[in-house]
Amino acid sequence: MRPSILRRLLRRVAPTAALALVAAMLGTTGAAPPAAAAGGLQQVTGFGSNPGNLQMYEYAPASLPANAPLVVALHGCTQTANDYYTDSGWPKYADLWGFAVVFPQTTAANNALSCFGWFDPAEDGRGRGEAASIVQMVEYAKQQYGSDGRRVYVTGLSAGGGMTADLLAAYPDVFAGGSVASGLPAQCATSQAGASGCQTGPQKLTPAQWGDKVRASYPGYAGPWPRVAIWQGSADYTVYPANATALRDQWTDVWGIGQTPSVTDSLPGDTTRSVYDDASGNPAVVTYSVSGMGHGLAVSPGSGAEQCGTTAAYFLNAICSTYHTGVFWGLDRDVPGGGEQLPAPSGLQVTDVAADRVSLSWDAVAGADSYAVHRNGAEVATTAGTTYTDTGLTAGTAYRYTVTAVDGSGTPGTASPQVTATTTGGAPARCFTATNYAQVAAGRAHTTGGHVYANGSDQDMGLYNVFVTHTLRESPAGYFVITDTGCAA
């Protein structure tokens, strides 16, 4: 191959991918081939003018009712639509909860490593390139399935995660929610030269500056904004964890809420979930940090209700991120078959709290066969009565509860308004004032790219040196937030 042609091709990929591209040209590896329709995955042609030169694949369960949700799932570099269909777990919950899934696919014709162009202004902006092609797929699927335009969601891994963030910013009127897995903040890079810097450590911008990148993607738009889930492995050295912090800062700022979580709790797979509620007390942004996980999408193979996916390259065994993302979006509250939902139970209240338990009660719903109790978004119990005591809890910890009525066929109704209960006891909060260097040395913070971040909250504390001092408040144990203005122990 002539050097001039090689240089042109190398400019089509992010700088970190250049060596892999050279290897591919030498025959040591290869770009991913187009996906073949497998099982229930079907290719669609003629979905629009397709300015981004993408391929469209889709999956829908049999007898999909009208007004069901629609999910768009974007693969990562070197992957295909079929990989994401096979390994991510989305078909399982499409069948279980009743919604269609669109799997866009890019190829080596667009990018030598089959990466979506999250860093290319010609591809990731409103009305442009790949982003416009994906929205054309959404419009086609909405017409084909009669999907509810108010419940369209997008999710993606790595480069697909970067494109997901860009889509949420450019098309907040199309997508009600998103989930970025091992991905990048919206408009983190606007050139291929800037892509590598984003991956290893995005710019040190304030939340308002990150939020401005979203607001500039669709000038004049005033909301409502998408609800955003952010998944990140703590040992990801391809897309560094600082990107999850930047994503958190970006979308909490867009929502007009602070960067201190409303509640933090633990999930399977050594996963820490931090929830940032909107002004109404509903989760607007949620971060999921998977301890020790590298670069990929978290899956948890198995047949359990909260298990999904298949382990493979960039599909890593930890926790079923697809299940928790779907619950965050409310997909589990939809009715397969289109039947009429039971109404939400009224009167949900906390009747008793102790160090290890919370007791709840609610009003009966006509036609209910049982009730499902959800703690922090995950179902923890079903009961025939209108009371429940949740046991085995951690002292001094906040828990969020909702209840749904379930009919005789097992179909859940609408979730009740949320209540929050904090168990008694637990260690009192502690405060520590020290230099950034000393905070890291004491194990209360960590460094990434020359900056220091508080353990747990991942709040940016500034440069790693002895000249910057902060006060950190610890509560619960191991979770630190910046409290320079005052720290009530």
Side-chain angles (χ1 to χ4, degrees), residues 37-49:
L41 186 67
Q42 302 296 325
Q43 185 171 9
V44 175
T45 58
F47 57 84
S49 60

Side-chain angles (χ1 to χ4, degrees), residues 22-322:
V22 173
M25 293 172 178
L26 294 174
T28 57
T29 184
L41 186 67
Q42 302 296 325
Q43 185 171 9
V44 175
T45 58
F47 57 84
S49 60
N50 193 16
N53 190 34
L54 299 181
Q55 297 174 1
M56 177 180 177
Y57 292 84
E58 64 181 11
Y59 173 76
S63 303
L64 182 70
N67 295 316
L70 178 67
V71 172
V72 178
L74 303 173
H75 63 77
C77 296
T78 75
Q79 294 180 330
T80 65
N82 188 49
D83 292 333
Y84 223 65
Y85 166 82
T86 301
D87 299 325
S88 67
W90 279 109
K92 170 178 177 173
Y93 294 105
D95 289 340
L96 183 64
W97 294 335
F99 56 86
V101 189
V102 170
F103 294 90
Q105 179 174 287
T106 189
T107 68
N110 283 14
N111 178 281
L113 295 179
S114 298
C115 304
F116 287 102
W118 60 271
F119 48 81
D120 187 346
E123 302 293 347
D124 65 3
R126 187 175 178 90
R128 300 174 188 168
E130 293 178 352
S133 289
I134 292 168
V135 172
Q136 288 181 355
M137 295 179 197
V138 169
E139 295 305 316
Y140 183 94
K142 284 165 58 178
Q143 295 296 319
Q144 179 183 9
Y145 296 117
S147 303
D148 185 349
R150 300 166 302 175
R151 296 184 293 166
V152 180
Y153 306 91
V154 61
T155 180
L157 166 64
S158 192
M163 181 60 82
T164 292
D166 288 339
L167 285 166
L168 294 172
Y171 292 98
D173 53 334
V174 173
F175 299 103
S179 179
V180 181
S182 300
L184 300 304
Q187 298 301 318
C188 183
T190 55
S191 69
Q192 293 171 3
S196 295
C198 283
Q199 290 173 221
T200 57
Q203 304 171 61
K204 304 303 180 183
L205 302 181
T206 66
Q209 289 172 322
W210 281 119
D212 285 344
K213 290 180 176 289
V214 172
R215 289 181 282 269
S217 297
Y218 186 15
Y221 182 78
W225 295 103
R227 298 184 182 274
V228 182
I230 301 160
W231 289 86
Q232 181 69 48
S234 68
D236 188 342
Y237 302 114
T238 300
V239 175
Y240 279 36
N243 285 281
T245 302
L247 276 160
R248 185 275 314 272
D249 289 352
Q250 183 171 67
W251 289 100
T252 52
D253 180 77
V254 167
W255 273 88
I257 54 182
Q259 287 73 54
T260 300
S262 305
V263 65
T264 298
D265 53 18
S266 298
L267 297 178
D270 205 5
T271 301
T272 299
R273 173 173 54 187
S274 298
V275 181
Y276 302 82
D277 288 342
D278 64 15
S280 300
N282 296 312
V285 178
V286 181
T287 63
Y288 303 83
S289 177
V290 187
S291 180
M293 191 181 82
H295 186 64
L297 182 75
V299 298
S300 178
S303 59
E306 299 183 17
Q307 291 181 291
C308 73
T310 304
T311 54
Y314 306 114
F315 294 96
L316 307 179
N317 190 1
I319 181 176
C320 176
S321 59
T322 297

Side-chain angles (χ1 to χ4, degrees), residues 414-486:
T414 303
S416 70
Q418 177 182 285
V419 297
T420 300
T422 301
T423 51
T424 60
R430 297 188 297 168
C431 301
F432 305 88
T433 300
T435 67
N436 280 359
Y437 181 85
Q439 299 282 22
V440 172
R444 296 185 287 268
H446 58 279
T447 63
T448 299
H451 270 229
V452 175
Y453 297 88
N455 289 345
S457 69
D458 280 334
Q459 289 178 307
D460 189 347
M461 299 167 59
L463 293 174
Y464 179 41
N465 57 37
V466 296
F467 304 107
V468 179
T469 296
H470 283 294
T471 298
L472 296 180
R473 182 177 187 271
E474 182 184 22
S475 182
Y479 190 95
F480 297 87
V481 296
I482 300 172
T483 53
D484 292 340
T485 58

